[in-house]
């Protein structure tokens, strides 16, 4: 039997105006956004809807993306659409936790606000960066790493055609000519730090006490961990997985392949952008992907569910 997965984007999907269409047109969505705004120490509406630089600041971006994703999720749930599995890319894993019932939205807002602040602090302390490697493989990437002095690592396994690397800026800059010489396409990313690497160890340590205080609920819908690439069945492991996730590679392709193996043939991307849709199409072009990031996406989903 065919199954549906809800998937949630991570940092990088943010943009001014994100979520505005849905929040403006759906009362239940606005209530979720209002709830988040009341919990935060800044104006979420102003951040998301006016030209500003903070929207790309990790300390603010992460909690804004979570809020937009869950506000959008509320509309989809009210339509009667249900998921069989849940997953999120990096930060998006927290949206998956809320959708699963494991974590309350209020708790997620507080944790993610701190997570973003701690990661931004670690980024300022370590002077790291990231880059996307297109159309290559792990072996070729590691060959380049071996020629460079300094810290470099693989941070995201997004698809067989896209791997993201992270490390010290000096080491990254030294690697770029070597990738080009090997005819490997490399795209430096406009991010503030070396996320999902050991340069984020300080952020992981700071996040631990906050996660240790969380009491997770029983899940309604199973979700997959970025750290293991598998469905989480032992909820006692969630805290350690979320701490580890900050400083270890994101196994996104493993998440997608596992959901496909479990029978998922429809992926509904919930939140800003359509990055995850692009990655899934690179993994398996035959799977149906609907990106719900505005009213057009909601209409496409409604039409799909009526036919289904």
């Amino acid at each position: 039997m065919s199954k549906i997965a809800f998937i949630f984007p991570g940092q990088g999907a943010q943009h001014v105006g994100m979520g505005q269409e849905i929040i403006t047109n759906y009362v239940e969505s606005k209530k979720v956004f209002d709830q988040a705004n009341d919990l935060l120490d800044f104006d979420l509406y102003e951040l998301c809807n006016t030209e500003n630089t903070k929207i790309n600041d990790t300390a603010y971006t992460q909690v804004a993306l979570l809020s937009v994703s869950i506000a959008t999720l509320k509309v989809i749930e009210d339509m009667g659409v249900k998921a069989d599995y849940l997953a999120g890319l990096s930060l998006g894993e927290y949206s998956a936790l809320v959708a699963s019932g494991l974590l309350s939205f209020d708790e997620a807002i507080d944790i993610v606000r701190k997570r973003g602040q701690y990661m931004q602090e670690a980024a300022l302390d370590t002077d790291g960066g990231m880059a996307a490697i297109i159309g290559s493989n792990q072996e070729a990437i590691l060959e380049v790493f071996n020629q460079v002095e300094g810290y470099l690592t693989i941070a995201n396994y997004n698809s067989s055609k896209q791997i993201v690397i992270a490390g010290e800026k000096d080491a990254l800059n030294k690697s770029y000519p070597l990738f080009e010489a090997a005819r490997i396409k490399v795209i430096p990313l406009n991010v503030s730090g070396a996320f999902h690497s050991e340069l984020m160890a300080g952020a992981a340590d700071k996040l631990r006490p906050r996660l240790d205080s969380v009491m997770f609920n029983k899940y309604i819908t199973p979700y997959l961990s970025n750290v293991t690439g598998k469905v989480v069945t032992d909820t006692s492991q969630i805290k350690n997985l979320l701490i580890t996730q900050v400083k270890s590679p994101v196994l996104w392709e493993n998440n997608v392949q596992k959901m496909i193996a479990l029978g998922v043939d429809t992926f509904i991307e919930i939140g800003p952008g359509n990055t995850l849709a692009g990655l899934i199409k690179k993994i398996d072009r035959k799977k149906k992907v609907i990106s719900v990031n505005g009213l057009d996406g909601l209409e496409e989903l409604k039409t799909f569910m009526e036919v289904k």
Side-chain angles (χ1 to χ4, degrees), residues 245-263:
Q245 189 229 49
V246 174
K247 59 181 181 178
S248 69
V250 172
L251 306 183
W252 181 247
E253 183 176 13
N254 293 57
N255 281 166
V256 175
Q257 294 285 20
K258 182 62 177 177
M259 287 186 281
I260 291 171
L262 289 167

Side-chain angles (χ1 to χ4, degrees), residues 27-290:
V27 174
E28 60 268 42
S29 180
K30 186 177 184 301
K31 285 180 180 178
V32 172
F33 215 70
D34 286 342
Q35 181 181 348
N37 199 47
D38 289 343
L39 294 167
L40 293 168
D41 54 353
F42 64 90
D43 191 325
L44 190 57
Y45 285 93
E46 183 178 346
L47 180 79
C48 292
N49 295 314
T50 60
E51 290 295 335
N52 65 87
T53 56
K54 281 186 177 180
I55 197 168
N56 294 315
D57 184 329
T58 300
Y60 295 89
T61 304
Q62 294 193 8
V63 74
L65 283 167
L66 169 70
S67 301
V68 172
S69 292
I70 299 304
T72 306
L73 170 68
K74 178 59 178 172
V75 180
I76 292 171
E77 289 180 334
D78 284 355
M79 288 168 52
V81 185
K82 295 183 179 180
D84 297 287
Y85 295 99
L86 304 158
L89 179 69
S90 185
L91 163 73
E93 193 168 318
Y94 284 86
S95 296
L97 281 164
V98 174
S100 73
L102 280 159
L103 188 62
S104 73
F105 182 51
D106 286 10
E107 280 268 61
I109 287 290
D110 185 62
I111 295 167
V112 169
R113 175 65 167 144
K114 289 179 170 64
R115 181 182 187 268
Q117 290 172 328
Y118 298 154
M119 289 175 72
Q120 184 62 32
E121 290 166 4
L124 292 172
D125 289 342
T126 55
D127 194 30
M130 304 178 81
I133 307 298
I134 309 299
S136 188
N137 56 58
Q138 179 176 326
E139 184 179 2
I141 292 169
L142 294 180
E143 284 182 13
V144 171
F145 285 1
N146 290 334
Q147 300 174 59
V148 177
E149 185 177 346
Y151 176 69
L152 291 171
T153 190
I154 293 177
N156 292 62
Y157 294 88
N158 286 339
S159 75
S160 60
K161 300 184 184 300
Q162 185 188 108
I163 292 174
V164 176
I165 64 173
E168 297 165 338
K169 282 186 180 176
D170 185 56
L172 284 168
N173 289 333
K174 289 176 181 176
S175 76
Y176 297 153
L178 298 174
F179 280 117
E180 290 168 3
R183 296 186 177 181
I184 296 171
K185 186 176 181 181
V186 56
I187 304 173
L189 300 179
N190 184 23
V191 295
S192 60
F195 304 131
H196 299 293
S197 79
E198 282 298 326
L199 297 183
M200 289 290 115
D205 290 342
K206 289 179 181 177
L207 188 61
R208 181 179 292 279
R210 179 63 185 89
L211 284 169
D212 280 343
S213 71
V214 177
M215 293 293 292
F216 289 100
N217 306 314
K218 292 182 179 180
Y219 65 80
I220 300 166
T221 308
Y223 94 101
L224 288 83
S225 164
N226 287 171
V227 174
T228 64
K230 301 175 182 178
V231 175
V232 177
T233 54
D234 183 355
T235 56
S236 69
Q237 295 300 311
I238 295 174
K239 295 174 187 179
N240 283 332
L241 288 172
L242 292 175
I243 292 162
T244 302
Q245 189 229 49
V246 174
K247 59 181 181 178
S248 69
V250 172
L251 306 183
W252 181 247
E253 183 176 13
N254 293 57
N255 281 166
V256 175
Q257 294 285 20
K258 182 62 177 177
M259 287 186 281
I260 291 171
L262 289 167
V264 172
D265 63 0
T266 301
F267 292 87
I268 301 173
E269 181 177 11
I270 302 172
N274 55 9
T275 300
L276 300 185
L279 292 177
I280 287 171
K281 287 300 183 184
K282 289 176 182 176
I283 294 168
D284 189 336
R285 296 191 63 83
K286 295 179 181 178
K287 302 309 174 194
K288 176 71 176 177
V289 188
I290 300 171

Side-chain angles (χ1 to χ4, degrees), residues 1-5 81-82 84 263-268 288 290 300-308:
M1 182 180 291
S2 62
K3 295 179 180 178
I4 292 174
V81 185
K82 295 183 179 180
D84 297 287
V264 172
D265 63 0
T266 301
F267 292 87
I268 301 173
K288 176 71 176 177
I290 300 171
E300 182 183 354
L301 178 57
K302 285 178 184 176
T303 301
F304 173 76
M305 294 306 297
E306 287 169 2
V307 174
K308 188 175 188 297

